[in-house]
Amino acid sequence: MITRRNALLGTATAAIVLAGAGIFPSSAALASDVDIATLTREKVKLVAPPFVHEHTQATNEGPKVIEFEMIIEEKQLVIDDDGATIQAMTFNGSVPGPLMVVHEGDFVELTLINPETNTLQHNIDFHAATGALGGGELTLVNPGEQVVLRFQATRPGTFVYHCAPGGSMIPWHVVSGMNGAIMVLPREGLKDEKGNPVTYDKVYYVGEQDFYIPRDADGKYISYDSPGENYADMLEVMRTLTPTHEVFNGAVGALTGENALTSKVGETVLIVHSQANRDTRPHLIGGHGDLVWETGKFNNPPEKDLETWFIRGGSAGAALYTFLQPGIYAYVNHNLIEAVELGATAHFEVEGEWNDTLMTQVSAPAPIE
Amino acid sequence: MTRRALLSLISIALPASILAGLSVFIFSMTTFSSPSLVANTDILIPETVYISPSHYDYHPTELRLYDGRNIAAPPTNLLSAPLTIMKYQVSTNDYALCIAEGACGPVDKRADTSPNRPVTGVSFLDATAYAKWFSAKTGQVWRLPTDQEWVVAAAERYVGVETIDDNPDNPAERWLADYRDVKERSADIDPAPRPLGSFGENTHGIADMAGNVWEWTDTCYERLWVDAQGNVQNRLENCGVHVVAGRHTAYISAFIKDARSGGCSVGVPPANLGFRLVRAPTDGGPLTRLTQWLQGQRS
């Protein structure tokens, strides 16, 4: 007969065996053993993208309950240099919403607030969570309401979260900016394809967004006074499946010029890239992805030396790169029409010494001899 | 009538009639001095500003290579030739006339074609087609300014580019410096075209220089090879690309009507592409020279 004691003993034995084989047991196996009330609580203040709140990479602390708070903000945003606007729906006022970082086995406890000033119902679906439509069923809030959801981060990786209030509202909210991502780090930090630990000096979160802005008879983008007013027009544009804008961090040029990303030769950067709705293919012009978790899930060994990686719509991936040359880099969606004409471009300003062996101009342009 | 009386009459009548004829002629020249408006299909000569020869600092756009690396061309102090340039940029109204007569191509679909604005969404090819048509229409010779002429006309409105020499050990230094320079220089100007005159006049009394419309010039992309003293040893021109001028100059391909996605230029692309014309001096004879002198258009 299998008693509870036997079963638990069996699990424990298996865990020891696995631990002995160098593989940590997954938290899922120990889920029933965790008494959440005894866990340490940590409150984390979220930071606007492309920056990420402070966090440890490898940790020897046990699982915690990480408390987050997000306030839903419906607001008008200018999304290009011609002044085109959208009545955006945002988590914490930014498109994308902020990146959350926890460790595998942690519990994510989110207080989601829908202020009275908003006009719509909202909720949240965490791709990292299990059950209840990612939490959507348990988080629907009217203006004036708040809700608290807790889920266990059982799978390490980068995952999208987005608003999904039901039916046609789902795509409309998502393409109005209401999405973001969460990174669940393995407790021992990231590892390369051989299992050796790797760390990053810096992390950036690039959230890519497709917008579908209606145009008037003269071809000018229409400005609306509230989200509800744009719904019917926007739905028509959405159904063409062709965005009018494809941007990083909520607007054309948002990660360029004064807001360009920065690094230096020898620095290792992790770029987390999400697209909640539509496929994209990031590429660092002048660089590579040293280690890329294209699908974003850290239990899979990363791919190496990628020129361009594929982030399938509805997911987040992560790429690690150590800069080798100084200069200006463009980080783009390598559908170059989307990169240049629709806005999917970010810039890196990288300081440091030039490596002439890696590249040199043997002779400068001169008239043909 | 006696011969003496006849001579007296002629000595009065001849100068009098010449003076009368001259004043009629002058009067007919001076009526066409207001900014052009679409009244009907008649073209009106636009208001121009005459700039007498003056010293100015010229910052060349062309790329200079010394010893295989790009070096910043130092500004040179030059003496300009007499210049007659349109006070305002060519307007949507005037360009529309050219299109109506089948001599000019359409503006970019996204351009603002409201009346009394500078025409925008036009390429170098459009601008030269307009100049050709306008010359035929007016019987005068009109052309795009060279980049040097534009800088003279812009006076204090032209700021120029600060670029550094290539470091032979680290080409990235100049790329980073140029990127940061552009960041500092790009003020957030609303790109929507405004009514002619909205950006005010400069010290020459020319309107809208270096506003939010970058103006085509006749100057082609050029690369120079220089020696240690800066003497030009070789040059190569690419007239598929032309200089556009604003707060600083940039290179744009000749067929581009809308540079917002960038061109051959580094950094912030021009918000709008438009142009104004220069009237080349045509020696129309002594009466024309006298008229022009009276109008202050000749020294």
Side-chain angles (χ1 to χ4, degrees), chain A residues 81-82 218 220 255-258 260 326-328 340-341 347 349-354 356 361 364-367, chain B residues 65 68-69 109-112 168-173 175-176 179-180 183-184 190-191 223 225 234-236 260-261:
Chain A
D81 292 326
D82 293 330
D218 297 322
K220 304 272 182 281
L255 298 178
T256 66
E258 288 299 329
I328 302 293
V340 175
E341 297 294 327
H347 292 159
E349 272 183 71
V350 180
E351 296 266 23
E353 291 306 309
W354 181 259
D356 228 43
Q361 186 182 60
Chain B
L65 281 165
R69 53 194 173 92
K109 276 205 291 272
R110 291 167 286 187
D112 183 350
D169 296 322
N170 192 341
E173 276 179 20
W175 303 330
L176 286 165
Y179 190 81
R180 284 160 192 166
K183 265 199 267 189
E184 278 167 33
D190 178 7
R223 207 201 291 271
W225 287 265
N234 217 334
R235 58 169 18 108
L236 187 131
R260 270 169 303 173
S261 310

Side-chain angles (χ1 to χ4, degrees), chain B residues 55-174:
Chain B
H55 282 273
Y56 70 103
D57 270 335
Y58 172 61
H59 303 252
T61 314
E62 76 265 358
L63 302 170
R64 286 169 184 233
L65 281 165
Y66 165 63
D67 198 25
R69 53 194 173 92
N70 286 304
I71 58 164
T76 44
N77 196 273
L78 300 174
L79 180 65
S80 65
L83 182 65
T84 302
I85 189 166
M86 286 183 179
K87 182 180 168 92
Y88 298 94
Q89 291 145 342
V90 169
S91 67
T92 45
N93 314 24
D94 284 345
Y95 195 81
L97 281 174
C98 184
I99 296 177
E101 295 196 7
C104 282
V107 302
D108 184 79
K109 276 205 291 272
R110 291 167 286 187
D112 183 350
T113 52
S114 317
N116 299 318
R117 301 266 191 291
V119 68
T120 56
V122 286
S123 66
F124 170 80
L125 303 172
D126 295 328
T128 43
Y130 181 88
K132 190 168 160 196
W133 169 81
F134 194 69
S135 299
K137 246 352 214 197
T138 57
Q140 299 170 347
V141 178
W142 294 86
R143 58 168 175 78
L144 285 170
T146 63
D147 65 344
Q148 297 195 40
E149 287 171 336
W150 197 93
V151 168
V152 169
E156 78 282 3
R157 294 290 181 102
Y158 173 74
V159 173
V161 174
E162 295 277 317
T163 189
I164 62 171
D165 292 355
D166 262 339
N167 176 349
D169 296 322
N170 192 341
E173 276 179 20
R174 186 172 57 81

Side-chain angles (χ1 to χ4, degrees), chain A residues 165-193:
Chain A
S168 294
M169 294 293 108
I170 301 174
W172 182 48
H173 283 230
V174 171
V175 305
S176 295
M178 209 158 169
N179 59 84
I182 179 168
M183 178 159 70
V184 181
L185 286 169
R187 304 204 77 81
E188 63 280 15
L190 295 179
K191 296 214 165 112
D192 69 14
E193 81 286 3

